[in-house]
Amino acid sequence: MKLATLKDGTRDGQLIIVSRDLKTAQVADGIAPTLQRALDDWGFIAPQLDEAYRLLNDGKGRRSFDFDPANCMAPLPRAFQWAGGAAYVNHLELVHAARNAELPESFRDEPLMHQGAGDDFLGPRDDIALPREEWGIDFEAGIAVVTDDVPMGATPDEAHQQIRLLMLVNDVSLRKLMPDELAKGFGFPQSKPATGFSPVAVTPDELGDAWKGGKAHLPLRSSWNGKPVGQPNAGVDMAFNFPQLIAHLAMTRNARAGAIVGSGAVSNKDAKKGYSCIAEKRCLELIADGEASTPFMVFGDTIRIEMLDADGKSIFGAIEQTVKQTDLRKPR
């Protein structure tokens, strides 16, 4: 099943059902007004959405219309919880190697995770609006899952059963603001502006055999200014799968329906697969040449993030964003 949220002038938009080929859609009226409402009563509402999805794919959709990602908000325009993990230890190893530092063994035993801002997500075509280039603007291509209720102390196996949807994510980072924030040892809210998500959220079964072991075993493709820069496989070298990430989050608290948990930038040990964030490319340059030569993003730059299935068809639709300058005091 594929779901999206249509812009309708409200904060939470209108839930729509999208066909498997991403060509048509229909409003989920009479079933659930928003995706959060569907997640709040998933056991009752999901079968109704799934039946409408089946009919839509059979060409029998109710008042169907052409699907346009430009008219979409993030599938969940705001969430009660957004936690970004660092599931790819290769990325962490490169960051430390670039600093001539050893990766702490604890980083291999349990995942790193930060609490993100869930109140202001970007849609798949929304601009990355920032006032200053010198903050070190970086894209960060990853995958995220949306959960049902996960009780405190849940095991990874229990957490696995509560995964309801998957999305692509652009967890934008401001790299030159990070060092000072990290030095304070209390997170980095300023270094992590609004996060962007794919046009549609999909149930795990939409990935077919590529969804196994709590991982999405498909390449995640990133193109910067139209140039392909990375296609690492999201299932390869993922040291902590999504059930483990969710269980880590829920160790001391409940994670409620609609919680979003991200993988962090997808990274493979095989450097030929490219990169999912500029910071990783710069780390490779520092290790090889002693200095980083690839610049961060500037105003006017574009980033496209997409995942294709084995037949070359888009699963989630693409994130396509442009970095734009905005007044520091001017709301979007």
Side-chain angles (χ1 to χ4, degrees):
M1 179 164 52
K2 298 190 177 186
L3 303 171
T5 294
L6 196 65
K7 294 178 179 178
D8 68 351
T10 67
R11 289 183 185 272
D12 298 309
Q14 171 68 60
L15 179 63
I16 61 174
I17 304 157
V18 183
S19 62
R20 182 169 286 113
D21 61 10
L22 305 178
K23 291 183 178 179
T24 59
Q26 72 177 62
V27 175
D29 54 351
I31 302 177
T34 66
L35 182 53
Q36 183 60 55
R37 179 65 188 86
L39 290 161
D40 286 339
D41 196 7
W42 189 255
F44 177 70
I45 292 176
Q48 299 175 61
L49 293 171
D50 195 49
E51 174 62 13
Y53 179 65
R54 183 186 67 78
L55 291 172
L56 181 64
N57 286 318
D58 288 343
K60 302 175 183 177
R62 187 165 167 250
R63 297 195 301 275
S64 62
F65 53 89
D66 291 342
F67 177 64
D68 184 355
N71 294 329
C72 290
M73 305 171 79
L76 271 174
R78 52 181 175 166
F80 292 115
Q81 178 155 241
W82 156 230
Y88 297 88
V89 173
N90 179 66
H91 176 76
L92 300 175
E93 288 175 340
L94 290 173
V95 170
H96 281 74
R99 299 174 185 162
N100 292 315
E102 290 290 329
L103 182 72
E105 282 302 314
S106 62
F107 286 24
R108 306 180 195 278
D109 298 332
E110 61 180 14
L112 291 180
M113 186 169 285
H114 76 274
Q115 193 76 56
D119 58 337
D120 186 32
F121 292 143
L122 299 176
R125 300 293 187 270
D126 290 346
D127 293 334
I128 301 169
L130 293 164
R132 299 176 186 172
E133 291 177 342
E134 59 265 29
W135 284 344
I137 305 166
D138 196 358
F139 61 88
E140 194 167 330
I143 304 172
V145 295
V146 183
T147 76
D148 205 326
D149 289 325
V150 180
M152 179 171 60
T155 66
D157 285 344
E158 291 168 337
H160 199 164
Q161 300 305 311
Q162 300 307 103
I163 294 174
R164 296 292 173 251
L165 299 164
L166 291 93
M167 306 180 289
L168 302 185
V169 56
N170 180 17
D171 189 14
V172 181
S173 295
L174 303 178
R175 300 296 183 183
K176 293 185 180 179
L177 296 185
M178 278 188 176
D180 287 345
E181 285 200 291
L182 288 173
K184 296 175 183 176
F186 213 55
F188 36 76
Q190 293 179 336
S191 306
K192 286 290 188 180
T195 304
F197 290 90
S198 53
V200 301
V202 311
T203 48
D205 60 289
E206 291 292 333
L207 274 67
D209 293 340
W211 175 251
K212 56 185 177 182
K215 305 176 184 181
H217 293 263
L218 288 167
L220 183 61
R221 301 167 183 268
S222 298
S223 296
W224 179 14
N225 292 330
K227 177 184 177 181
V229 295
Q231 52 176 354
N233 189 297
V236 174
D237 302 322
M238 190 181 191
F240 305 100
N241 65 17
F242 281 110
Q244 290 171 310
L245 293 174
I246 297 167
H248 179 81
L249 176 68
M251 177 179 174
T252 60
R253 54 176 161 165
N254 299 313
R256 294 304 187 185
I260 303 174
V261 180
S263 66
V266 175
S267 177
N268 286 172
K269 293 179 181 179
D270 182 0
K272 293 179 181 178
K273 297 297 183 182
Y275 53 92
S276 297
C277 66
I278 300 169
E280 184 162 313
K281 173 65 171 174
R282 288 169 61 87
C283 285
L284 289 166
E285 292 167 348
L286 276 166
I287 294 167
D289 308 321
E291 62 178 357
S293 57
T294 300
F296 290 113
M297 301 180 85
V298 297
F299 298 135
D301 277 9
T302 61
I303 179 65
R304 178 185 174 94
I305 299 167
E306 190 171 25
M307 179 174 279
L308 308 181
D309 64 17
D311 295 323
K313 297 177 181 178
S314 185
I315 299 172
F316 303 87
I319 297 173
E320 295 184 69
Q321 296 179 286
T322 301
V323 180
K324 293 286 183 69
Q325 187 171 23
T326 187
D327 189 308
L328 188 61
R329 295 191 177 116
K330 182 179 179 181
R332 287 187 292 107

